[in-house]
């Protein structure tokens, strides 16, 4: 119970830091848009996706447990009794997680190709 509370509070702090730092990055890219050019939209999308991931992380606060080829996801957020919110939050979290991986790959291909 105590670990879940600590994890939820850490997720909340992480969400606020993500909003603050990604907002600052988006502002820097907006102010220096002449230097960033076509890569600007990629930065904006990455910032928004990171904020979405952080918000979903705070809503769901998933803990993972894996043993013998089985992965169990346990929602330990303060509102984990709301099953509908947990389902939607987990879907958003998983989608954002996959999109971040795809964007990192696309960024690598764009830079190295």
């Amino acid at each position: 119970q105590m670990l879940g509370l600590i994890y939820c509070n850490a997720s909340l702090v992480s969400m606020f830091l993500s909003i603050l730092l990604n907002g600052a990055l988006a502002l820097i890219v907006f102010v220096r848009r002449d230097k960033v050019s076509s890569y600007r939209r990629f930065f904006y999308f990455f910032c928004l996706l990171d904020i979405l991931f952080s918000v979903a992380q705070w809503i769901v606060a998933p803990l993972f447990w894996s043993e013998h080829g089985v992965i169990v996801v346990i929602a330990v957020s303060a509102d984990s009794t709301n099953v509908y919110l947990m389902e939607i939050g987990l879907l958003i979290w998983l989608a954002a997680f996959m999109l971040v991986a795809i964007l990192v790959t696309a960024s690598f291909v764009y830079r190295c190709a």
Side-chain angles (χ1 to χ4, degrees):
Q1 183 77 328
M2 187 64 171
L3 180 63
L5 182 63
I6 292 170
Y7 189 69
C8 289
N9 290 336
S11 294
L12 182 64
V13 170
S14 174
M15 180 187 71
F16 283 127
L17 281 174
S18 174
I19 291 170
L20 179 72
L21 295 175
N22 282 302
L25 179 62
L27 183 64
I28 290 169
V29 170
F30 180 75
V31 169
R32 308 287 278 175
R33 65 180 165 253
D34 55 331
K35 303 258 188 218
V36 181
S37 69
S38 65
Y39 214 53
R40 181 178 67 240
R41 289 185 183 94
F42 185 79
F43 273 120
Y44 288 147
F45 187 66
F46 222 124
C47 290
L48 289 175
L49 188 61
D50 286 343
I51 291 171
L52 180 68
F53 180 80
S54 298
V55 170
Q57 173 79 20
W58 173 67
I59 290 171
V60 179
L63 284 179
F64 294 92
W65 179 65
S66 172
E67 189 171 320
H68 303 296
V70 176
I71 297 176
V72 177
V73 180
I74 302 168
V76 294
S77 73
D79 195 27
S80 61
T81 57
N82 188 343
V83 177
Y84 181 71
L85 182 64
M86 292 298 109
E87 289 175 354
I88 297 298
L90 189 60
L91 288 175
I92 292 171
W93 187 84
L94 288 170
F97 185 81
M98 290 187 296
L99 282 173
V100 166
I102 290 169
L103 280 178
V104 168
T105 304
S107 173
F108 180 75
V109 169
Y110 178 79
R111 293 254 181 194
C112 296

